[in-house]
Amino acid sequence: METTLCIIKPDAVKNGFEDKINEKIISSGLKIIKTKKTFLTEEIARNFYKEHASKPFFNELVEFIISGEVVVQVLEGESAIKSYRSLMGATNPDEAEEGTLRKLFAESLSKNAVHGSDSSESAAREIAIMDKIF
Ligand code: CMP
């Protein structure tokens, strides 16, 4: 069994998509083993996204993720990291496949509804950062 970190981002929470997203996660075979609806602090957000610190969109990214409530979740399942990434679809909703979370629920590249860990190293790091909020 593998675990991965999922965040339902402020755009999707504001748009009322939390339950629909979780239905899709559960019907894909993944189990939600931890969940917390909360506001992230700027400190957690900057640490969480630190691999993007040198990117021109870093400040926008941090401002957005702390701009509203998010739902932070740990998902568990067989190949959970890959399986959840394929359920999410491409980062940019314009490129996301039909039926994926980002195709269905995202507004734009920055307001892209959900986050998911991209590797086992990221999953371990991201779950450790978020562990204190559960
Ligand atoms: P996420 O999976 O949360 O990981 C990093 C986020 O950066 C990504 O989703 C996008 O929302 C965001 N992002 C990536 N590229 C850009 C960009 N060019 N401009 C703004 N946001 C971006």
Side-chain angles (χ1 to χ4, degrees):
M1 279 300 168
E2 191 172 69
T3 50
T4 190
L5 191 91
C6 153
I7 302 179
I8 303 178
K9 297 191 183 185
D11 58 310
V13 173
K14 276 199 190 97
N15 290 329
F17 294 145
E18 185 185 333
D19 290 347
K20 287 181 178 163
I21 289 171
N22 279 340
E23 278 165 26
K24 291 253 173 210
I25 288 173
I26 292 161
S27 47
S28 79
L30 292 164
K31 200 165 149 188
I32 301 167
I33 59 168
K34 288 187 186 178
T35 185
K36 177 89 176 200
K37 191 171 192 176
T38 187
F39 288 89
L40 296 180
T41 64
E42 183 172 344
E43 188 188 0
I44 286 184
R46 295 183 83 85
N47 186 22
F48 183 82
Y49 276 133
K50 75 175 177 198
E51 68 176 294
H52 299 294
S54 63
K55 310 258 175 69
F57 58 85
F58 180 64
N59 285 337
E60 181 195 339
L61 183 59
V62 170
E63 287 305 313
F64 174 62
I65 205 74
I66 66 173
S67 70
E69 276 187 301
V70 293
V71 183
V72 181
Q73 310 192 120
V74 177
L75 310 181
E76 183 186 75
E78 287 297 327
S79 306
I81 296 166
K82 200 170 154 219
S83 159
Y84 179 55
R85 285 186 72 76
S86 96
L87 179 67
M88 286 194 302
T91 307
N92 186 340
D94 292 341
E95 292 159 15
E97 304 74 5
E98 289 300 326
T100 60
L101 298 178
R102 284 167 171 158
K103 183 71 176 185
L104 289 166
F105 304 117
E107 292 180 19
S108 64
L109 177 57
S110 50
K111 296 181 176 175
N112 65 348
V114 283
H115 168 85
S117 313
D118 65 4
S119 65
S120 52
E121 293 74 23
S122 302
R125 191 184 79 84
E126 293 177 0
I127 291 169
I129 290 171
M130 294 300 178
D131 227 23
K132 55 179 91 65
I133 73 165
F134 290 116

